[in-house]
Amino acid sequence: MFRKLEDAMGKLLTLSAVIAGMTVCAQAQNPQEPSQGAVPAVQGPELAGQSNDASETDSLPPNDAGGRMVTPEPVSIEGYSMNFTSEGERSNYLRGGLTVGSSYSDNVSPSGGQPISDFSYSVWPFITLDQMRSRLSWNLSYSPGFTFYQKTTAFNESDHNLALALKYRLSPHVTFKAENRFSKTSNFLNQNQNLAAEPATGLAPTVALVVPIADQLRDTSSAQLSYQTSPNGLIGATGTFSELNYPTRSQVPGLFDSTSSTGQAFYTYRLSGKHYLGATYDYTNLLSHPNGIRTETHSVLLFYTIYLNSATSFSVFAGPERSESHGAVLTPAQWSPAAGGSFGWRREHTSLEMNASRRVSGGGGLASAVHSLDANASVRQQLSPSTTVGLSANYSLNEALRLLPSTSNGHLVSGTISFERRLGAHFGFDMAYTRLHQSYNNIAAISRAPDVDHVLVSISYRFERPLGR
């Protein structure tokens, strides 16, 4: 476990060095930009058309053919934004604060076939740095924490949450993007995004199952390079790595660690300012351990995206997928269809996103890769200037490949409702309730207590300071 933390901290230092180097490079290539005293930048729909913004065209699709192209959602590593169009995304800020929270779960650990309920208490300081230059933008956030349980004190632990998003325009037509998310926790539901308070950004990892309480480390990294070859043509390559690790095996009987590595190449053509048509080739290596079962997949997918306006888009993709597993028994190659779609919609006080897909994916704790059907939806609504509510729902159906059909079949259904009330300029009160149901009859860590009700309440203090002032 400590080695994993050391790797994560090493990654943080490396990424910080990369950011510093890119910042120096960007400033050297833009001598007219002052190196200190940067004025905080505000991003929003009103800035559409300003071509010197490092991220403007990716979040605000142009409606004129021949302009700078965006990366369509089926091949983007960023995902939809859940910010309202009225929420300007201000940059060049240092933000921080402290959150104190308490949670209740009616199933922290099954004992004798019966779930045990418990309260936990947490303290999470947090800090965020973001900066935007004419060719470089980045956002780095870190939140350590301490969680204490009232009865199940064996699960007391320190938490870590790290997130990085970086975008660098190497030239007018070449863009590099990178993202990383790392978390260490004993309660995955405590990491549940309070959509009302902190809208999700970037792509969250697919969750096939959730153990009530167990030490776990999750790490997901993505990097993408895209090149606009013509006024309406864009090519790119993406690499993604994700890892799930349970350091204390006795807490998760029947579950396995897993890693996933994906390489992708894509091409998209803009038929007009609103219509994108493209194709992608994906190779994925999925590994479950310590059983050593490995699955390789190859897929060729066609996708289509339409941008109805700068804050609304719809995408679909479909194509054949080939998978082959290696382990105690070598299974013959299987062909299956892969398909999916997504929709993002934002207004002044409302935001909505929906995603659905059917394809081969990593087990996420299961004994092997699975045919996975995943669907999720999130909506965020501002009731007043100081009050926001959020609602999300998730469904995941997983069927094992032919290698181990009896041990990895099951499904997950969850729903979360959240509430945020701003108390002045610096304080906030947040609540979130999650209902989780899982059906995995052959996994002891879940089958003995498949249902969880989880409530999280917190009070936070936040501040922000412009960088360079």
Side-chain angles (χ1 to χ4, degrees):
M1 179 173 65
F2 294 107
R3 184 175 181 180
K4 296 287 184 181
L5 283 174
E6 290 174 358
D7 292 342
M9 294 302 104
K11 183 185 296 184
L12 172 60
L13 292 175
T14 301
L15 292 173
S16 301
V18 171
I19 291 172
M22 287 185 170
T23 303
V24 172
C25 181
Q27 291 175 346
Q29 294 172 342
N30 297 275
Q32 74 280 4
E33 184 180 353
S35 58
Q36 295 184 356
V39 177
V42 178
Q43 302 177 63
E46 69 277 4
L47 295 183
Q50 296 183 6
S51 60
N52 66 333
D53 190 335
S55 63
E56 157 254 329
T57 54
D58 292 306
S59 59
L60 302 167
N63 289 322
D64 297 326
R68 185 176 293 159
M69 295 180 65
V70 303
T71 306
E73 197 278 335
V75 290
S76 173
I77 66 173
E78 295 174 296
Y80 291 114
S81 170
M82 289 296 290
N83 285 323
F84 307 133
T85 56
S86 59
E87 292 180 311
E89 299 176 1
R90 298 188 298 175
S91 296
N92 299 318
Y93 270 90
L94 164 68
R95 298 179 174 90
L98 178 70
T99 298
V100 179
S102 177
S103 68
Y104 169 79
S105 176
D106 67 354
N107 179 11
V108 296
S109 179
S111 176
Q114 297 297 321
I116 298 175
S117 62
D118 200 359
F119 285 90
S120 67
Y121 310 93
S122 301
V123 178
W124 299 293
F126 57 89
I127 186 169
T128 299
L129 291 166
D130 65 76
Q131 188 178 57
M132 176 173 289
R133 293 291 185 262
S134 61
R135 299 174 63 177
L136 171 69
S137 65
W138 60 272
N139 182 293
L140 177 66
S141 63
Y142 175 60
S143 176
F146 303 92
T147 300
F148 307 94
Y149 292 87
Q150 185 170 298
K151 293 188 295 186
T152 54
T153 57
F155 295 113
N156 292 352
E157 73 148 25
S158 59
D159 303 317
H160 297 275
N161 292 278
L162 170 69
L164 169 71
L166 179 147
K167 186 182 301 180
Y168 181 57
R169 197 172 300 283
L170 285 80
S171 74
H173 304 293
V174 180
T175 301
F176 173 77
K177 302 175 187 177
E179 290 197 357
N180 174 257
R181 290 184 177 189
F182 172 82
S183 70
K184 172 186 176 290
T185 182
S186 63
N187 189 338
F188 180 76
L189 294 180
N190 271 351
Q191 309 297 310
N192 207 12
Q193 184 71 50
N194 184 344
L195 192 66
E198 302 289 347
T201 56
L203 294 176
T206 300
V207 178
L209 54 87
V210 176
V211 292
I213 299 290
D215 296 334
Q216 51 198 286
L217 296 94
R218 297 174 182 266
D219 189 12
T220 301
S221 302
S222 299
Q224 183 177 85
L225 187 68
S226 60
Y227 171 48
Q228 186 170 346
T229 59
S230 67
N232 294 303
L234 180 73
I235 62 173
T238 305
T240 301
F241 175 82
S242 64
E243 181 176 16
L244 170 62
N245 179 261
Y246 298 106
T248 308
R249 303 296 308 168
S250 61
Q251 297 174 351
V252 288
L255 295 182
F256 297 82
D257 297 341
S258 64
T259 59
S260 171
S261 304
T262 299
Q264 179 189 78
F266 66 88
Y267 173 78
T268 182
Y269 184 79
R270 179 169 51 192
L271 303 176
S272 70
K274 297 183 178 181
H275 302 270
Y276 282 64
L277 185 66
T280 176
Y281 165 75
D282 293 10
Y283 166 78
T284 302
N285 186 2
L286 307 168
L287 177 65
S288 297
H289 43 90
N291 63 4
I293 295 177
R294 181 169 62 91
T295 300
E296 296 179 287
T297 70
H298 302 263
S299 60
V300 177
L301 307 173
L302 300 179
F303 64 85
Y304 167 75
T305 298
I306 179 172
Y307 292 98
L308 302 177
N309 55 52
S310 63
T312 306
S313 67
F314 171 74
S315 299
V316 292
F317 69 85
E321 189 168 48
R322 180 184 184 273
S323 61
E324 184 175 5
S325 297
H326 308 265
V329 179
L330 177 64
T331 61
Q334 304 178 46
W335 288 90
S336 59
S342 61
F343 175 72
W345 181 81
R346 296 191 299 139
R347 290 296 181 266
E348 186 175 1
H349 302 293
T350 308
S351 59
L352 168 71
E353 70 162 325
M354 297 185 293
N355 297 274
S357 65
R358 167 68 172 174
R359 61 186 311 176
V360 175
S361 65
L366 301 175
S368 69
V370 294
H371 288 291
S372 179
L373 174 62
D374 297 302
N376 62 76
S378 299
V379 62
R380 186 169 175 251
Q381 177 68 48
Q382 187 179 48
L383 303 180
S384 71
S386 60
T387 304
T388 304
V389 295
L391 180 66
S392 65
N394 297 273
Y395 175 79
S396 180
L397 174 65
N398 298 286
E399 300 176 353
L401 304 182
R402 296 175 187 173
L403 191 63
L404 292 170
S406 64
T407 60
S408 298
N409 292 346
H411 70 272
L412 173 151
V413 181
S414 71
T416 298
I417 183 169
S418 55
F419 170 88
E420 181 205 21
R421 177 74 177 182
R422 302 298 300 157
L423 306 174
H426 300 288
F427 291 91
F429 172 75
D430 306 314
M431 293 182 63
Y433 165 73
T434 297
R435 170 67 176 179
L436 171 67
H437 170 75
Q438 300 177 96
S439 175
Y440 287 95
N441 294 330
N442 294 300
I443 299 176
I446 295 174
S447 61
R448 292 179 293 185
D451 299 317
V452 180
D453 290 283
H454 184 268
V455 179
L456 176 65
V457 179
S458 65
I459 296 177
S460 60
Y461 168 78
R462 300 182 176 110
F463 70 88
E464 63 179 27
R465 298 288 186 272
L467 290 176
R469 292 187 176 183

